[in-house]
Amino acid sequence: TEKHPGRHEYLFTLAENYLILGDKESALKVYDKIQKNVGNTEELAQHKQNLYLELGQIDNAIKEIESLIEESPNNASYYGLLAELYEEKGESAKALDLYKKVLELEPNNENIRFALYGYYKSKGQHEEAFKELKYAFANPEAKLETKIQVLLGYLKTESKSKQQQGEELAKLLVEAHPDDARSYTAVA
């Protein structure tokens, strides 16, 4: 890498080799060097974020995603990643604010609706959780496969008293995807 300092792919290979050897700290130093030379990129920040998480350094992982947000403040996926990190850190209020920020940028973001379902369910706020599921299921742009998986999981894990809610979700599924036979099959 010293003979060809402008060839960043060599540095990426060096970082990968350090990872193969289990030397995450050296890999991080190489990623820092690349970042210093080429600037912050999504690829670099995500590599570093993953390494920081593996090393148990969640605050550094958060800083990496925050740096991406500084450069691209309208990128909803970065806010979603940051929300997940704060949730993992146990700062659920910050996570909730970030999930809401994603919905400001992308109101039909199905992944965030499902994440909010899980968030509210974990807090015992079952009405709010179900409301998020209904938003996701009513959205025709949301992936049918994801909805079917969530519906099946919902029916398996929820009590019999929630059966009516499961039927309501199934109805929303068919209404959102009336031309797709899979929605009818899932309801059956």
Side-chain angles (χ1 to χ4, degrees), residues 9-156:
E9 65 270 18
Y10 293 161
L11 290 172
F12 273 107
T13 301
L14 179 61
E16 289 171 13
N17 288 334
Y18 280 131
L19 291 173
I20 291 169
L21 296 172
D23 189 352
K24 295 173 185 168
E25 295 289 344
S26 293
L28 274 170
K29 288 177 185 174
V30 173
Y31 287 140
D32 285 338
K33 185 175 183 178
I34 297 169
Q35 201 169 33
K36 185 177 179 182
N37 292 333
V38 300
N40 198 22
T41 68
E42 182 175 354
E43 180 182 15
L44 277 172
Q46 289 186 336
H47 280 302
K48 289 174 68 177
Q49 174 216 348
N50 290 333
L51 284 174
Y52 284 132
L53 288 175
E54 289 177 24
L55 292 168
Q57 300 175 13
I58 196 163
D59 288 329
N60 287 331
I62 287 171
K63 287 177 187 173
E64 288 302 320
I65 301 304
E66 286 175 338
S67 71
L68 289 174
I69 289 172
E70 284 178 25
E71 292 182 20
S72 300
N74 292 322
N75 188 321
S77 65
Y78 297 158
Y79 289 101
L81 285 171
L82 190 57
E84 290 172 10
L85 291 173
Y86 276 116
E87 204 166 351
E88 187 174 322
K89 188 177 176 183
E91 295 187 28
S92 56
K94 283 186 180 179
L96 181 59
D97 289 342
L98 290 163
Y99 285 137
K100 289 179 179 179
K101 177 67 177 175
V102 173
L103 291 177
E104 286 176 23
L105 296 170
E106 295 180 359
N108 291 326
N109 188 312
E110 71 188 80
N111 295 325
I112 296 304
R113 295 290 183 184
F114 291 130
L116 281 169
Y117 161 72
Y119 171 86
Y120 287 126
K121 185 176 178 184
S122 73
K123 300 293 180 199
Q125 299 175 6
H126 298 287
E127 286 182 36
E128 285 296 317
F130 185 67
K131 181 176 151 186
E132 293 301 332
L133 277 184
K134 287 182 3 182
Y135 279 125
F137 274 69
N139 179 3
E141 296 173 21
K143 294 180 188 128
L144 178 61
E145 295 83 11
T146 304
K147 291 179 192 179
I148 291 171
Q149 288 177 341
V150 170
L151 178 62
L152 294 175
Y154 185 86
L155 293 172
K156 281 183 185 177

